[in-house]
Amino acid sequence: MPDKLTTTVTSDEGLHRDSDVPLGDEIVGHYSGSSNMRRAAVLIPLIRQSGDWHILYIRRASNENDRHSGQVAFPGGGSDAEDNSPEATALRETREEIGIAANRISLLGQLSPYTTISDFHVTPVVGVVEWPTNLTLAPLEVARAFLIPLEWLRQRGNFSLRARQDMDPTSAKRHPIIVFEPYDGETLWGASARMTVNFIRSLDRGEIVLPAA
């Protein structure tokens, strides 16, 4: 997590958004429409272990050419020409990055597309992974895969909204960033953190329904 994300925002305004773009900037320049953005998809992999639900995350490998190097993320990436849907992209990227085959994933649905500040139009796809499953990490892309309990992620005290100190004084309201407390030595923050919070809201609304235990 960048050291500049240190100013805590006390209001929950802006907690649930489908964009990393600061409020008011969506109509400026290349943010004027998704047609100029690259399509992408990620998988939110759900795992049932010891009677509880978990989410499987990855930490991206260190790479000086990757803007998101070393960050906690979901498996996923940009859509290829042969991908005929966000689900196809998410499943292909999951197989390539962590070695889980599509036939071991049961899809439950998807969330609203998410606009990142790095010009991606990302569709989060939700799926349950048969567990246990052997993982094969792509070493150039993924440094680690790990689980975080869903109930821990639900707890409001385990994450905060923060603002970048190097942005303008209104950035706390225009561009709050979600940062979770460290778990198992990893810090979930940014777009993946907000997608996580949006996913939990979709569960609470009944838009995504978990299989019965």
Side-chain angles (χ1 to χ4, degrees):
M1 181 186 68
D3 294 335
K4 293 178 180 179
L5 294 181
T6 56
T7 304
T8 301
V9 181
T10 56
S11 171
D12 274 355
E13 183 180 355
L15 178 62
H16 296 105
R17 298 186 59 208
D18 292 323
S19 174
D20 278 347
V21 181
L23 291 171
D25 288 358
E26 293 94 337
I27 59 174
V28 177
H30 54 270
Y31 296 129
S32 59
S34 61
S35 61
N36 293 323
M37 297 183 183
R38 186 176 178 190
R39 302 284 174 166
V42 298
L43 181 72
I44 300 179
L46 297 170
I47 288 168
R48 187 80 170 174
Q49 180 174 263
S50 301
D52 296 315
W53 287 103
H54 299 71
I55 296 180
L56 176 67
Y57 293 92
I58 64 171
R59 174 161 41 84
R60 304 196 66 80
S62 296
N63 183 339
E64 62 182 12
N65 296 319
D66 182 0
R67 176 173 182 164
H68 305 291
S69 171
Q71 292 184 13
V72 173
F74 296 113
S79 297
D80 285 351
E82 64 269 21
D83 295 337
N84 57 18
S85 67
E87 290 86 350
T89 299
L91 292 173
R92 175 183 54 76
E93 287 283 341
T94 297
R95 176 180 52 78
E96 293 175 357
E97 291 186 347
I98 58 177
I100 302 177
N103 62 5
R104 297 189 66 84
I105 302 172
S106 299
L107 299 181
L108 301 181
Q110 58 182 252
L111 307 184
S112 299
Y114 193 95
T115 301
T116 73
I117 199 117
S118 52
D119 295 343
F120 279 91
H121 193 67
V122 184
T123 299
V125 177
V126 182
V128 176
V129 177
E130 292 183 24
W131 201 255
T133 292
N134 292 327
L135 303 182
T136 303
L137 308 185
L140 296 180
E141 298 186 73
V142 180
R144 186 190 181 204
F146 60 97
L147 303 178
I148 300 181
L150 181 58
E151 284 307 309
W152 187 89
L153 293 163
R154 278 184 177 277
Q155 300 303 313
R156 183 61 182 84
N158 288 333
F159 65 89
S160 59
L161 282 166
R162 304 188 191 181
R164 300 184 70 97
Q165 290 183 328
D166 58 341
M167 295 179 70
D168 65 80
T170 66
S171 68
K173 184 174 292 186
R174 297 196 317 117
H175 193 211
I177 297 169
I178 296 176
V179 181
F180 277 82
E181 295 298 316
Y183 186 92
D184 193 18
E186 306 288 353
T187 301
L188 169 64
W189 69 280
S192 297
R194 196 178 298 277
M195 289 180 200
T196 297
V197 171
N198 288 348
F199 164 65
I200 292 172
R201 180 180 61 171
S202 74
L203 290 178
D204 294 340
R205 289 178 169 179
E207 297 165 350
I208 300 289
V209 178
L210 298 178

